[in-house]
Amino acid sequence: MNTEDIKPIAFYQNLGKLFYAIASSDGAVEDLEVNALKTMVAAEWSISPETFAMVDFFNWLHHDQDYDAATCFKSFVNYLHKNTVLFTPARQALILKTARHIAGSFSGTNKSELILLAKLELEFKKLKVNT
């Protein structure tokens, strides 16, 4: 893939899908999970207009409530494998850190969140095998 063809907004929107999938995997998105995402973006991510697309898309999915965790996760994985060049080891680490922070923000990490986190780690390992 030519890196000039990459649209930063799509990257962050797909991260919003992933983080929404983590938060909604147990059937509910709690305010603490939304705040955990906002906190991680402010503290860990490079702030740019595109970065806020991650939070905006997460919020849109949350308020729309037409999409479930499995659909959002599958959509993210499809994007991941079509845009592998974007997912450097440093970005993978930050994505996992953010996902874990969201999962652990409300009453600790539950079983459905653990399963999605494990699936995410497996998808990232597939990238390493294929490169």
Side-chain angles (χ1 to χ4, degrees):
M1 163 178 268
N2 184 345
T3 56
E4 294 173 9
D5 296 335
I6 297 167
K7 297 185 176 26
I9 194 99
F11 174 75
Y12 290 107
Q13 286 175 336
N14 276 280
L15 289 177
K17 281 182 199 175
L18 170 66
F19 298 140
Y20 176 77
I22 299 292
S24 68
S25 63
D26 59 359
V29 176
E30 302 296 334
D31 288 342
L32 287 172
E33 293 169 315
V34 176
N35 290 334
L37 174 60
K38 291 177 182 176
T39 300
M40 285 298 294
V41 168
E44 302 285 339
W45 292 82
S46 298
I47 302 300
S48 69
E50 292 86 7
T51 308
F52 291 107
M54 183 177 3
V55 176
D56 291 343
F57 207 73
F58 178 103
N59 285 331
W60 180 81
L61 288 166
H62 175 51
H63 293 295
D64 189 53
Q65 296 186 351
D66 280 342
Y67 301 92
D68 63 14
T71 301
C72 289
F73 186 79
K74 183 177 179 178
S75 178
F76 171 78
V77 169
N78 287 335
Y79 180 83
L80 168 72
H81 289 288
K82 289 179 183 174
N83 299 279
T84 57
V85 68
L86 296 175
F87 294 90
T88 64
R91 278 188 170 164
Q92 290 177 36
L94 183 53
I95 291 165
L96 285 168
K97 182 177 182 179
T98 304
R100 288 182 187 122
H101 186 70
I102 293 166
S105 66
F106 182 75
S107 299
T109 308
N110 63 41
K111 184 179 177 180
S112 57
E113 292 165 335
L114 281 172
I115 291 169
L116 270 189
L117 289 170
K119 287 180 178 181
L120 178 59
E121 288 182 41
L122 287 173
E123 293 301 330
F124 284 157
K125 286 180 182 176
K126 288 179 188 176
L127 296 183
K128 293 175 186 169
V129 170
N130 294 329
T131 56

